[in-house]
Amino acid sequence: MTNRRHEWISKRAYAIWEEQGRPHGRDDDHWRQAVAERNALERTQASVDGREVLVKFRPKPQRPEMPRQDWLNPSTKVG
């Protein structure tokens, strides 16, 4: 882990601890949450200052499913 990454996670975990009212014994939870947030930022390639976010993994737009050809053909015999 780089020093910058570790410092960011440490500061974020501390901020989470403060946001939650400084509970005792939850430091591991706060650290894991900070790590997860940092990982998410890295996956989205967010800038250091957070001004823009370039999404690395964008979902592909769904194409509507086309009906089968035999469904459109009225001469298809049933049964």
Side-chain angles (χ1 to χ4, degrees):
M1 185 179 314
T2 66
N3 286 339
R4 275 180 109 179
R5 179 179 163 84
H6 187 274
E7 182 180 349
W8 188 97
I9 292 169
S10 178
K11 287 179 180 180
R12 181 61 188 134
Y14 185 83
I16 294 167
W17 174 70
E18 286 187 323
E19 289 169 5
Q20 293 186 0
R22 300 179 177 187
H24 180 70
R26 305 259 331 271
D27 51 329
D28 285 343
D29 295 334
H30 301 145
W31 187 267
R32 280 193 293 272
Q33 182 179 341
V35 168
E37 290 178 14
R38 178 62 186 221
N39 289 342
L41 285 173
E42 290 172 355
R43 278 194 308 275
T44 60
Q45 296 181 349
S47 63
V48 174
D49 60 8
R51 289 189 183 178
E52 85 275 347
V53 176
L54 303 174
V55 179
K56 186 174 182 180
F57 302 104
R58 291 194 178 153
K60 294 181 180 179
Q62 298 262 338
R63 292 184 182 174
E65 187 176 329
M66 296 297 293
R68 295 190 331 248
Q69 286 295 346
D70 61 342
W71 182 79
L72 296 175
N73 188 349
S75 65
T76 304
K77 294 181 180 179
V78 178

